[in-house]
Amino acid sequence: MGKRLTFISAAAIALTLYTGNAVAGTLGTDRPRFALAKQTAKNLLKRNVTNVSSYPASPLKVQQKAQGVMEAVLVDEDFSALTSGTVEKPDTTKMLASEYSGYSDNGIFIDNSLTKDGTWFGSQVYSAGGAIALKTYNPLLQAYLCTPLGDYSGDLTITFRVKANPALVATDNGYGKTTGSTISLLVCYGGYDGSSSARTDDESGLFSQRIYEKDGWQEVTYTCKNYSANSDGYVCLCTEGSIVIDDVKIKAGNSFLANPVIEGITDFKKDNFTIAWQPTRKAYDYYVDLYTRNYLSDKDTTFVADFNDGKLPEGFETTSQTFVDEGTDNSKAIKLSNGDSFTIPANGNDYKTAHFSLKVIDPSVDPSDSYAQYDVLGSILIDLKNADGWKNIGKFYASGFWNDAYIVKLEESYSKFATGGFTQLRLRVKDMNEGAYFVLDDVDVTAKPAFEYQIVGSDYYQDLKEDDCYTAYTSKTNYTFKDLDPNTEYWYGVRAHYVRQFSERQFIHALGVAAPDTKEATDIDSRGSFTANWYAAPKATGYTVNCYGVNSVEEANDDYPVLEEDFSNIDASVTTATTLADATAVGNTETSSLDAYTKFPGWTGNDNSLVQGMIGAQGDYAYVGGRIYTPVLYLGNADKCNLTLKLYGDANDNIVIKMNGTIYYIVLPENGMADGTVTLPVTEPRQKIGFVSYNNAPFAIDYIKIGQPLAKGAKTLTWLASGDTDAETLSYTFTGLDAYDFSDFGYDVTSHYQYDESNATSSLAPSEMVFVNLESGTSGINELQNGSDAKVVARYTADGQLVSVPVKGLNILKLNNGKIVKVIVK
């Protein structure tokens, strides 16, 4: 196994892999059709970044204006340091940045000496004599240029000059010339390998325009309110052709403060929890708020409007005041024409169901024409509001309601309706034929019981409309709420503060549960059993207890096998298949155990297949392919691991691997075989590793080994079994342990908590491990390593990058006793 695997870190691929913009389906018949809203800004730019960490990138350098001017200059770049080439003929002999290996010395990063405001990055970027050029020969591969990473929140004004150059694109007959190029602008966040759309007032953060050579230099000005204060934000300029860009200026006014980006709860205990957030550029301190809910009723709230009296019920809002006798059974209904909107009331809690009747009247369409439905144009847009504001999630086409009323049940049309925290609904009519309109009737919306928030710990104000009603304030970017009632539900928020400016209040559920305190084992039997015990944890609705086999490393080993599997149990008695092409299907459409085919338990998967000596995953190129998951691995003894694989699949496919919450992938060569070793960082002590084909193609693993550099005496854990109990059952007996070659065993316990449709576990702060020796009949609560004072042996950023010194924001520390600690560095 001397050949090294080609591994690529690509966190953004997770979005492409697991989500999409396909039509969501129909409402019981072939009409009406509900189409999900397209996320244009996310799909316009697709990057497969191969070398994001090959250059020491620096962050955005914010240039503050003179005191008293509420504006910051975020970017002011004229590219005067790019001296080679000309505007008409850029220097294509050297690519300044590229996401494709071997084309640029710095990978996607542009040398800092060539720019002023931090590290610009991109792909297929060239010098153009005092300007910068983007040029691609394949329209499917965007050339792009991105500003340095930083907080771009505020009233953005983005200006630049752009010029189209002649562009050649690959064709079946060689190369062909295009008559112009597209310049697109996206306001994004997600860092060097992500391209999520920022939340802006125009709901897209996107500008796109076709330009032509004959037009010469064009001035572009784009303005928006950017509510995303992510520290890994940026502005991206991209093209599918050939353009030159110069004089990029980005200013951020401050008519508002964006909300801090909440990292979430970093530690959850019985009577306290800690939250963390990213620093907001304009804030000089932060107000943290803790709330409880005072429910005003124990029943759901309903909002009903049948319009029978020709009036709009209290609380409903609409731009139309026209009622027609064209509703259900010819009753009164409201008429919604082009540009009209209709908003349903809210009680502050989440919607559960939303039903309403729709019909379209279009006098311009001949009802006797069998193809008339294709002439019925327009749609009604569905907007939903949650903690992030209003968002268009899709639309119904008008043709589906032509001349025939239909009852829409939105929770059936949109699968996330009842789970997305949506508190209000708005309908908007768009693009209908002249004189055509929707008829809306029988609105019936249900929300969870009404409540009001109450502040906890405020010394002065209780009215949440007052900015100075707060729990505490801090200049740090983390805070611990202490001395809490273990059985009370809390909500929290963080507001950025500058002079008399505050960002909006946030109400984030502090959904969590503490791990239970473990007890020593009882009923220890040398024949292979013991009973695990623990104390009850507040709010826990159930528990999972995990049993591990424990080994002590006898001699130091640079590649100690934490997991090694050759799938030799899959032999001729199991399947006749000897190649991936004739693999035998397991028949498990849902995730299930694969223990029957492996040496150690805990392997799981779905849509799997068998080949002699290999475990596989079936392919479904159109939909979702099979998956394979390792057992739960304990990797807390070191800050890295060596992943050795021998794997077969389709030529040029990417085998996606999820580890540490990060997506990696293997690029398979022409022969479809990967065979080698790669070293990966470890930031989570306990985890499963998952495998799936990026193209939903079949693949099979022939051999896998997870190795770590371990010192003599280090204890390793091999997961063997789990048991689930309800809230009242605080013990669990493991049997059959004599089947394994371990003298020592260990167990820990995870709490589970269900609140409405949401679930939480105590994974942020695991319970203490209890070790059991069957031969001596003893047990005790111990650390995994019996070192002296705990020391930091590795430090990572929040996105898993190994660093040698503390960095601003969330830091993940690996201690020499195997523990993981999360801290915030200001």
Side-chain angles (χ1 to χ4, degrees):
M1 298 207 179
K3 181 179 178 182
R4 290 189 64 83
L5 295 173
T6 302
F7 255 68
I8 301 172
S9 174
I13 287 180
L15 289 174
T16 306
L17 185 64
Y18 297 118
T19 65
N21 295 316
V23 172
T26 61
L27 294 177
T29 68
D30 58 352
R31 67 167 188 86
R33 191 179 72 171
F34 176 68
L36 288 173
K38 293 183 178 179
Q39 301 298 317
T40 307
K42 290 182 181 178
N43 293 326
L44 182 63
L45 181 67
K46 295 183 178 179
R47 304 203 297 271
N48 297 329
V49 179
T50 61
N51 45 10
V52 297
S53 58
S54 62
Y55 187 77
S58 62
L60 173 68
K61 302 171 185 176
V62 179
Q63 306 168 34
Q64 294 291 344
K65 281 278 191 178
Q67 187 176 5
V69 179
M70 294 288 288
E71 186 178 55
V73 179
L74 305 185
V75 172
D76 186 4
E77 181 58 67
D78 59 9
F79 303 109
S80 57
L82 301 179
T83 56
S84 65
T86 65
V87 169
E88 291 72 22
K89 190 175 181 179
D91 180 6
T92 56
T93 63
K94 180 181 180 181
M95 198 175 291
L96 300 180
S98 175
E99 68 178 56
Y100 307 105
S101 296
Y103 289 90
S104 168
D105 294 339
N106 296 332
I108 65 170
F109 304 112
I110 297 175
D111 191 318
N112 285 338
S113 66
L114 302 178
T115 58
K116 296 185 297 183
D117 298 313
T119 301
W120 290 66
F121 63 105
S123 185
Q124 301 176 91
V125 181
Y126 305 92
S127 173
I132 198 163
L134 303 179
K135 185 174 184 179
T136 177
Y137 294 101
N138 184 346
L140 299 179
L141 300 176
Q142 295 272 332
Y144 59 89
L145 172 69
C146 301
T147 61
L149 299 188
D151 177 354
Y152 285 82
S153 62
D155 303 282
L156 287 188
T157 299
I158 303 170
T159 61
F160 60 93
R161 297 194 304 143
V162 62
K163 179 183 180 298
N165 272 348
L168 295 177
V169 297
T171 68
D172 292 339
N173 300 318
Y175 287 92
K177 183 178 181 297
T178 65
T179 58
S181 299
T182 297
I183 170 64
S184 296
L185 178 152
L186 303 93
V187 183
C188 301
Y189 68 89
Y192 296 118
D193 56 357
S195 57
S196 297
S197 304
R199 186 168 69 89
T200 60
D201 58 343
D202 62 0
E203 299 184 355
S204 67
L206 168 68
F207 166 85
S208 188
Q209 180 68 49
R210 189 85 176 167
I211 57 174
Y212 299 91
E213 300 163 47
K214 64 181 179 64
D215 296 330
W217 284 102
Q218 303 288 303
E219 296 276 354
V220 175
T221 298
Y222 172 79
T223 62
C224 69
K225 290 183 181 294
N226 180 17
Y227 302 104
S228 298
N230 303 72
S231 58
D232 59 2
Y234 59 94
V235 174
C236 177
L237 305 173
C238 58
T239 186
E240 86 309 335
S242 179
I243 61 174
V244 180
I245 297 168
D246 201 3
D247 297 330
V248 179
K249 296 182 176 64
I250 303 177
K251 298 180 181 179
N254 289 280
S255 66
F256 69 97
L257 280 181
N259 280 330
V261 176
I262 305 297
E263 300 283 4
I265 297 176
T266 60
D267 191 18
F268 196 98
K269 300 291 180 60
K270 293 177 182 179
D271 60 356
N272 67 83
F273 65 90
T274 301
I275 60 173
W277 58 93
Q278 295 179 13
T280 302
R281 173 173 46 79
K282 192 63 176 177
Y284 65 64
D285 63 7
Y286 304 90
Y287 282 44
V288 292
D289 303 313
L290 186 67
Y291 311 97
T292 57
R293 282 181 175 180
N294 176 33
Y295 282 89
L296 306 177
S297 172
D298 59 358
K299 296 180 180 180
D300 292 342
T301 301
T302 57
F303 302 106
V304 177
D306 59 16
F307 312 109
N308 288 343
D309 58 358
K311 296 180 180 179
L312 189 70
E314 183 180 356
F316 289 82
E317 297 178 2
T318 182
T319 56
S320 170
Q321 294 296 327
T322 303
F323 296 89
V324 293
D325 295 319
E326 295 167 327
T328 307
D329 298 328
N330 295 320
S331 64
K332 289 281 187 185
I334 196 165
K335 176 183 177 180
L336 300 178
S337 302
N338 256 339
D340 277 338
S341 65
F342 185 89
T343 305
I344 295 164
N347 71 347
N349 210 341
D350 301 351
Y351 279 0
K352 294 173 64 176
T353 62
H355 303 168
F356 45 89
S357 170
L358 288 176
K359 181 168 66 174
V360 168
I361 304 299
D362 192 341
S364 68
V365 176
D366 182 1
S368 65
D369 183 354
S370 59
Y371 293 99
Q373 61 176 317
Y374 299 110
D375 296 325
V376 180
L377 302 180
S379 58
I380 190 162
L381 278 63
I382 308 299
D383 299 336
L384 293 172
K385 187 178 183 180
N386 61 11
D388 293 325
W390 285 103
K391 178 183 179 183
N392 173 246
I393 54 93
K395 61 186 175 182
F396 286 102
Y397 293 103
S399 57
F401 303 92
W402 179 51
N403 285 342
D404 189 9
Y406 195 93
I407 301 295
V408 172
K409 297 182 178 180
L410 197 53
E411 70 275 9
E412 295 179 2
S413 305
Y414 182 51
S415 61
K416 298 179 181 179
F417 177 78
T419 59
F422 299 115
T423 59
Q424 200 161 18
L425 167 63
R426 179 175 64 195
L427 309 178
R428 290 184 291 138
V429 179
K430 186 178 181 181
D431 300 330
M432 298 192 74
N433 293 332
E434 185 176 357
Y437 55 89
F438 274 91
V439 177
L440 174 66
D441 200 5
D442 295 337
V443 177
D444 189 345
V445 174
T446 302
K448 295 176 183 177
F451 65 88
E452 59 184 10
Y453 284 110
Q454 295 182 330
I455 195 78
V456 176
S458 177
D459 293 331
Y460 302 104
Y461 295 100
Q462 295 296 316
D463 186 353
L464 301 186
K465 295 179 182 179
E466 295 282 350
D467 289 332
D468 287 330
C469 175
Y470 62 92
T471 301
Y473 66 89
T474 179
S475 59
K476 299 179 180 179
T477 53
N478 67 297
Y479 187 82
T480 299
F481 297 104
K482 300 178 180 179
D483 301 322
L484 305 180
D485 180 355
N487 294 299
T488 296
E489 290 300 312
Y490 292 96
W491 283 257
Y492 67 90
V494 182
R495 289 177 290 150
H497 171 228
Y498 177 77
V499 190
R500 291 306 302 168
Q501 273 189 314
F502 291 83
S503 60
E504 295 179 351
R505 287 190 183 273
Q506 300 169 292
F507 301 94
I508 303 169
H509 188 193
L511 181 65
V513 63
D517 293 329
T518 47
K519 297 181 181 181
E520 292 188 5
T522 56
D523 303 325
I524 302 172
D525 191 328
S526 60
R527 291 168 294 182
S529 67
F530 68 84
T531 297
N533 303 286
W534 60 94
Y535 296 96
K539 299 195 300 186
T541 54
Y543 303 93
T544 296
V545 55
N546 296 290
C547 178
Y548 307 88
V550 179
N551 272 329
S552 292
V553 178
E554 296 182 356
E555 296 294 337
N557 190 330
D558 290 338
D559 196 27
Y560 186 90
V562 177
L563 172 72
E564 188 170 18
E565 179 64 66
D566 61 6
F567 305 104
S568 56
N569 288 356
I570 307 175
D571 55 21
S573 66
V574 178
T575 176
T576 60
T578 57
T579 65
L580 184 58
D582 61 354
T584 302
V586 173
N588 56 337
T589 57
E590 301 293 334
T591 301
S592 58
S593 172
L594 299 175
D595 289 353
Y597 313 112
T598 59
K599 292 180 180 179
F600 284 101
W603 287 85
T604 57
N606 65 277
D607 296 298
N608 296 111
S609 60
L610 306 174
V611 180
Q612 289 183 18
M614 289 182 270
I615 192 73
Q618 294 175 277
D620 188 337
Y621 295 92
Y623 297 101
V624 178
R627 289 169 165 75
I628 301 171
Y629 302 95
T630 69
V632 175
L633 303 173
Y634 179 77
L635 302 177
N637 283 316
D639 60 1
K640 60 184 177 180
C641 71
N642 302 315
L643 172 59
T644 301
L645 274 175
K646 185 174 184 180
L647 180 148
Y648 297 89
D650 276 7
N652 302 314
D653 189 14
N654 299 328
I655 303 301
V656 178
I657 298 176
K658 185 172 183 179
M659 177 181 174
N660 300 317
T662 302
I663 297 294
Y664 303 88
Y665 63 90
I666 310 171
V667 182
L668 296 183
E670 290 295 331
N671 64 3
M673 183 181 75
D675 188 1
T677 300
V678 66
T679 300
L680 296 174
V682 172
T683 60
E684 297 293 336
R686 292 177 178 83
Q687 59 183 287
K688 288 188 174 186
I689 301 175
F691 301 83
V692 65
S693 161
Y694 180 72
N695 295 324
N696 299 324
F699 69 95
I701 301 175
D702 190 330
Y703 174 82
I704 181 173
K705 176 185 173 183
I706 308 292
Q708 287 191 288
L710 299 184
K712 180 179 180 180
K715 290 184 171 66
T716 66
L717 304 178
T718 300
W719 181 89
L720 301 176
S722 291
D724 295 318
T725 75
D726 58 26
E728 287 72 36
T729 305
L730 305 178
S731 64
Y732 187 88
T733 300
F734 291 100
T735 61
L737 301 178
D738 53 336
Y740 303 106
D741 188 21
F742 295 103
S743 60
D744 294 298
F745 298 86
Y747 67 86
D748 59 15
V749 186
T750 299
S751 300
H752 299 278
Y753 177 50
Q754 183 172 359
Y755 181 87
D756 288 345
E757 292 84 16
S758 301
N759 294 283
T761 70
S762 59
S763 57
L764 286 176
S767 74
E768 292 185 286
M769 179 75 65
V770 178
F771 291 98
V772 183
N773 185 285
L774 297 186
E775 295 180 359
S776 65
T778 59
S779 75
I781 300 173
N782 299 293
E783 297 293 342
L784 290 179
Q785 294 180 352
N786 295 319
S788 55
D789 294 339
K791 298 179 181 179
V792 177
V793 296
R795 181 184 296 266
Y796 299 90
T797 60
D799 59 358
Q801 297 295 316
L802 181 64
V803 292
S804 58
V805 296
V807 296
K808 183 180 292 186
L810 180 66
N811 285 221
I812 303 170
L813 310 182
K814 166 69 68 176
L815 306 182
N816 63 346
N817 61 7
K819 285 189 174 182
I820 298 291
V821 178
K822 298 178 181 179
V823 298
I824 301 296
V825 177
K826 178 67 175 176

